[in-house]
Amino acid sequence: MTTIKKLSTNMAFTQTATAPDSTSVRDGRHHGIPVMLQRAIAGLGMLFISPLLILVMLLIKLESQGPCVYKQVRVGKLGRRFTMYKFRSMYMADDPKFKAPDPSQSNRDGVCAKFHNDPRITRVGRFIRKYSIDELPQLFNVVCGDMLLIGPRPALENEVSAYQVNELARLNCEQGLTGLWQVTGRADTTFEQQVMLDTQYIDNQSTVQDIKIICRTIPCVLGARGAY
Protein backbone atom coordinates (compact mmCIF):
# COMPACT_ATOMS: atom_id res chain seq x y z
CA MET A 1 0.00 0.00 0.00
CA THR A 2 2.89 2.39 0.84
CA THR A 3 4.52 1.67 -2.53
CA ILE A 4 1.25 2.44 -4.37
CA LYS A 5 0.86 5.74 -2.49
CA LYS A 6 4.45 6.74 -3.33
CA LEU A 7 3.92 5.81 -6.97
CA SER A 8 0.72 7.86 -7.16
CA THR A 9 2.52 10.87 -5.66
CA ASN A 10 5.42 10.53 -8.10
CA MET A 11 3.06 10.23 -11.07
CA ALA A 12 1.15 13.32 -9.95
CA PHE A 13 4.45 15.23 -9.73
CA THR A 14 5.50 14.00 -13.18
CA GLN A 15 2.23 15.04 -14.80
CA THR A 16 2.56 18.52 -13.27
CA ALA A 17 6.21 18.87 -14.22
CA THR A 18 5.66 17.88 -17.84
CA ALA A 19 2.60 19.82 -18.91
CA PRO A 20 1.99 19.78 -22.68
CA ASP A 21 4.21 22.11 -24.68
CA SER A 22 2.99 23.19 -28.11
CA THR A 23 6.58 23.26 -29.42
CA SER A 24 7.17 19.59 -28.52
CA VAL A 25 4.73 17.21 -30.17
CA ARG A 26 4.78 13.57 -31.19
CA ASP A 27 6.12 14.32 -34.70
CA GLY A 28 8.81 11.64 -34.83
CA ARG A 29 11.66 14.12 -34.47
CA HIS A 30 14.13 14.22 -31.58
CA HIS A 31 13.59 17.16 -29.20
CA GLY A 32 15.78 16.14 -26.26
CA ILE A 33 19.49 16.31 -25.47
CA PRO A 34 21.37 16.25 -28.83
CA VAL A 35 21.97 12.71 -30.07
CA MET A 36 25.72 13.13 -30.67
CA LEU A 37 26.18 14.56 -27.17
CA GLN A 38 24.38 11.55 -25.68
CA ARG A 39 26.64 9.18 -27.62
CA ALA A 40 29.74 11.04 -26.46
CA ILE A 41 28.60 10.89 -22.82
CA ALA A 42 27.92 7.15 -23.17
CA GLY A 43 31.38 6.53 -24.64
CA LEU A 44 33.15 8.46 -21.90
CA GLY A 45 30.97 6.73 -19.31
CA MET A 46 32.05 3.30 -20.55
CA LEU A 47 35.72 4.27 -20.26
CA PHE A 48 35.21 5.68 -16.75
CA ILE A 49 33.42 2.59 -15.38
CA SER A 50 35.45 -0.01 -17.29
CA PRO A 51 36.97 -1.45 -14.06
CA LEU A 52 33.44 -2.05 -12.73
CA LEU A 53 32.38 -3.68 -15.99
CA ILE A 54 35.35 -6.07 -15.86
CA LEU A 55 34.65 -6.93 -12.20
CA VAL A 56 30.99 -7.71 -12.90
CA MET A 57 31.92 -9.94 -15.83
CA LEU A 58 34.35 -11.85 -13.61
CA LEU A 59 31.75 -12.37 -10.85
CA ILE A 60 29.14 -13.57 -13.32
CA LYS A 61 31.58 -16.05 -14.83
CA LEU A 62 32.64 -17.40 -11.42
CA GLU A 63 29.07 -18.06 -10.26
CA SER A 64 27.41 -19.72 -13.25
CA GLN A 65 28.06 -21.11 -16.69
CA GLY A 66 27.34 -19.14 -19.83
CA PRO A 67 28.33 -15.82 -21.41
CA CYS A 68 28.78 -12.74 -19.23
CA VAL A 69 26.84 -10.53 -21.62
CA TYR A 70 23.36 -11.51 -22.73
CA LYS A 71 22.03 -10.46 -26.15
CA GLN A 72 18.37 -9.93 -27.00
CA VAL A 73 16.56 -8.64 -30.07
CA ARG A 74 14.57 -5.58 -29.06
CA VAL A 75 12.23 -3.24 -30.91
CA GLY A 76 13.30 0.36 -31.41
CA LYS A 77 11.82 3.45 -32.99
CA LEU A 78 9.06 2.72 -35.50
CA GLY A 79 9.55 -1.03 -35.11
CA ARG A 80 13.26 -1.19 -36.02
CA ARG A 81 14.90 -4.33 -34.62
CA PHE A 82 18.33 -4.26 -32.99
CA THR A 83 20.46 -6.37 -30.64
CA MET A 84 20.46 -5.06 -27.07
CA TYR A 85 23.14 -6.01 -24.55
CA LYS A 86 22.79 -6.75 -20.83
CA PHE A 87 24.91 -8.43 -18.20
CA ARG A 88 23.53 -11.93 -17.76
CA SER A 89 21.62 -12.10 -14.48
CA MET A 90 19.96 -15.51 -14.89
CA TYR A 91 21.01 -19.13 -15.09
CA MET A 92 21.17 -20.51 -18.61
CA ALA A 93 18.44 -22.99 -19.57
CA ASP A 94 20.96 -25.85 -19.64
CA ASP A 95 22.33 -25.01 -16.18
CA PRO A 96 21.37 -27.60 -13.49
CA LYS A 97 20.27 -24.69 -11.24
CA PHE A 98 17.86 -23.28 -13.81
CA LYS A 99 14.19 -23.34 -12.85
CA ALA A 100 11.51 -21.72 -15.00
CA PRO A 101 8.98 -19.47 -13.21
CA ASP A 102 5.25 -20.08 -13.24
CA PRO A 103 3.79 -17.56 -15.77
CA SER A 104 0.64 -17.27 -13.67
CA GLN A 105 2.72 -15.86 -10.80
CA SER A 106 3.73 -12.68 -12.64
CA ASN A 107 3.57 -9.61 -10.40
CA ARG A 108 2.67 -7.36 -13.33
CA ASP A 109 -0.50 -7.44 -15.41
CA GLY A 110 -0.32 -6.96 -19.16
CA VAL A 111 2.10 -8.19 -21.81
CA CYS A 112 5.30 -7.59 -19.78
CA ALA A 113 5.70 -10.34 -17.18
CA LYS A 114 7.72 -9.60 -14.03
CA PHE A 115 8.40 -11.85 -11.02
CA HIS A 116 9.37 -10.71 -7.51
CA ASN A 117 11.00 -14.07 -6.78
CA ASP A 118 12.21 -15.24 -10.15
CA PRO A 119 13.99 -18.62 -9.64
CA ARG A 120 16.10 -18.05 -12.75
CA ILE A 121 18.05 -15.17 -11.21
CA THR A 122 21.54 -15.82 -9.81
CA ARG A 123 22.89 -14.28 -6.61
CA VAL A 124 25.10 -11.89 -8.57
CA GLY A 125 22.19 -11.27 -10.91
CA ARG A 126 19.90 -10.25 -8.07
CA PHE A 127 22.40 -7.62 -6.93
CA ILE A 128 23.15 -6.16 -10.37
CA ARG A 129 19.45 -6.05 -11.25
CA LYS A 130 18.63 -4.28 -7.99
CA TYR A 131 21.03 -1.44 -8.81
CA SER A 132 20.51 -1.59 -12.61
CA ILE A 133 24.15 -2.57 -13.15
CA ASP A 134 22.95 -5.25 -15.58
CA GLU A 135 21.86 -2.47 -17.95
CA LEU A 136 25.31 -0.83 -18.23
CA PRO A 137 26.33 -2.71 -21.42
CA GLN A 138 23.59 -0.73 -23.16
CA LEU A 139 25.95 2.23 -23.10
CA PHE A 140 27.52 0.42 -26.05
CA ASN A 141 24.09 0.43 -27.74
CA VAL A 142 23.96 4.18 -27.23
CA VAL A 143 27.44 4.66 -28.71
CA CYS A 144 26.45 2.52 -31.73
CA GLY A 145 23.27 4.52 -32.32
CA ASP A 146 20.80 1.76 -31.41
CA MET A 147 19.45 3.66 -28.40
CA LEU A 148 19.73 6.94 -26.54
CA LEU A 149 20.36 7.61 -22.85
CA ILE A 150 16.77 8.81 -22.34
CA GLY A 151 13.62 7.37 -23.89
CA PRO A 152 11.04 4.58 -23.57
CA ARG A 153 12.60 1.20 -22.77
CA PRO A 154 12.94 -1.07 -25.82
CA ALA A 155 10.51 -3.99 -25.65
CA LEU A 156 10.81 -7.60 -26.77
CA GLU A 157 9.37 -8.62 -30.12
CA ASN A 158 6.69 -10.83 -28.57
CA GLU A 159 5.61 -7.96 -26.30
CA VAL A 160 5.27 -5.53 -29.22
CA SER A 161 3.30 -8.08 -31.23
CA ALA A 162 0.74 -8.08 -28.40
CA TYR A 163 0.44 -4.27 -28.23
CA GLN A 164 -2.90 -2.59 -28.78
CA VAL A 165 -2.99 0.23 -31.34
CA ASN A 166 -2.69 2.98 -28.72
CA GLU A 167 0.30 1.22 -27.10
CA LEU A 168 2.32 1.42 -30.33
CA ALA A 169 2.69 5.16 -29.67
CA ARG A 170 5.62 4.41 -27.35
CA LEU A 171 7.62 3.44 -30.47
CA ASN A 172 7.39 6.97 -31.90
CA CYS A 173 10.83 8.00 -30.62
CA GLU A 174 14.25 6.52 -29.97
CA GLN A 175 14.29 4.01 -27.12
CA GLY A 176 16.45 4.75 -24.08
CA LEU A 177 18.54 3.47 -21.20
CA THR A 178 16.39 5.36 -18.70
CA GLY A 179 13.08 7.12 -19.03
CA LEU A 180 10.13 8.75 -17.38
CA TRP A 181 8.52 5.57 -16.03
CA GLN A 182 11.83 4.28 -14.69
CA VAL A 183 12.19 7.34 -12.46
CA THR A 184 8.50 7.24 -11.52
CA GLY A 185 8.22 3.71 -10.23
CA ARG A 186 10.33 1.23 -12.23
CA ALA A 187 8.94 -2.28 -11.83
CA ASP A 188 6.21 -1.03 -9.46
CA THR A 189 4.40 0.56 -12.41
CA THR A 190 1.73 -1.33 -14.32
CA PHE A 191 2.06 -1.77 -18.08
CA GLU A 192 -0.75 0.76 -18.63
CA GLN A 193 1.12 3.31 -16.50
CA GLN A 194 4.31 2.67 -18.45
CA VAL A 195 2.54 3.34 -21.76
CA MET A 196 0.98 6.51 -20.35
CA LEU A 197 4.31 7.81 -19.06
CA ASP A 198 6.17 6.91 -22.26
CA THR A 199 3.65 8.69 -24.48
CA GLN A 200 3.66 11.62 -22.07
CA TYR A 201 7.44 11.80 -22.41
CA ILE A 202 7.24 11.71 -26.22
CA ASP A 203 4.57 14.42 -26.32
CA ASN A 204 6.67 16.70 -24.09
CA GLN A 205 10.22 15.72 -25.02
CA SER A 206 12.75 18.49 -24.41
CA THR A 207 16.34 18.98 -23.31
CA VAL A 208 15.16 20.25 -19.92
CA GLN A 209 12.98 17.18 -19.38
CA ASP A 210 15.87 14.87 -20.36
CA ILE A 211 18.16 16.56 -17.83
CA LYS A 212 15.49 16.21 -15.12
CA ILE A 213 15.14 12.49 -15.88
CA ILE A 214 18.91 11.95 -15.70
CA CYS A 215 19.05 13.75 -12.35
CA ARG A 216 16.15 11.67 -11.00
CA THR A 217 17.68 8.43 -12.30
CA ILE A 218 20.67 8.58 -9.96
CA PRO A 219 18.71 8.53 -6.64
CA CYS A 220 16.28 5.96 -8.10
CA VAL A 221 19.14 3.58 -8.93
CA LEU A 222 20.96 4.10 -5.63
CA GLY A 223 17.72 3.68 -3.68
CA ALA A 224 16.85 0.53 -5.67
CA ARG A 225 13.16 1.47 -5.45
CA GLY A 226 10.93 -0.74 -7.59
CA ALA A 227 13.85 -2.88 -8.82
CA TYR A 228 13.83 -6.69 -8.85
Side-chain angles (χ1 to χ4, degrees), residues 73-91:
V73 175
R74 295 289 179 118
V75 181
K77 181 179 180 180
L78 302 179
R80 179 180 59 85
R81 269 60 173 173
F82 68 94
T83 300
M84 191 184 80
Y85 302 97
K86 299 180 70 172
F87 280 129
R88 181 174 58 81
S89 59
M90 296 183 177
Y91 293 108

Side-chain angles (χ1 to χ4, degrees), residues 163-209:
Y163 280 3
Q164 302 298 314
V165 174
N166 66 303
E167 295 164 352
L168 291 170
R170 68 194 315 217
L171 301 179
N172 285 345
C173 79
E174 297 291 350
Q175 309 297 281
L177 184 58
T178 185
L180 191 55
W181 72 259
Q182 284 86 355
V183 300
T184 304
R186 298 175 79 176
D188 286 335
T189 53
T190 65
F191 178 67
E192 290 73 20
Q193 289 168 335
Q194 291 175 18
V195 172
M196 182 196 72
L197 290 166
D198 282 342
T199 52
Q200 182 179 319
Y201 167 77
I202 295 170
D203 286 341
N204 301 280
Q205 188 184 51
S206 68
T207 298
V208 172
Q209 182 177 217

Side-chain angles (χ1 to χ4, degrees), residues 106-126:
S106 174
N107 298 103
R108 179 190 290 160
D109 295 327
V111 300
C112 302
K114 194 77 173 177
F115 304 91
H116 271 297
N117 297 300
D118 195 324
R120 298 170 296 179
I121 300 177
T122 65
R123 286 178 298 174
V124 172
R126 199 165 298 281

Side-chain angles (χ1 to χ4, degrees), residues 41-111:
I41 293 172
L44 291 174
M46 286 189 68
L47 288 176
F48 182 74
I49 65 173
S50 56
L52 172 62
L53 300 179
I54 294 172
L55 175 61
V56 173
M57 292 173 68
L58 178 61
L59 292 175
I60 292 172
K61 201 67 178 176
L62 288 174
E63 182 182 14
S64 59
Q65 62 188 38
C68 300
V69 176
Y70 183 66
K71 297 188 291 184
Q72 279 185 327
V73 175
R74 295 289 179 118
V75 181
K77 181 179 180 180
L78 302 179
R80 179 180 59 85
R81 269 60 173 173
F82 68 94
T83 300
M84 191 184 80
Y85 302 97
K86 299 180 70 172
F87 280 129
R88 181 174 58 81
S89 59
M90 296 183 177
Y91 293 108
M92 300 294 291
D94 58 353
D95 192 302
K97 296 181 180 179
F98 177 86
K99 182 180 179 181
D102 181 352
S104 67
Q105 298 302 309
S106 174
N107 298 103
R108 179 190 290 160
D109 295 327
V111 300

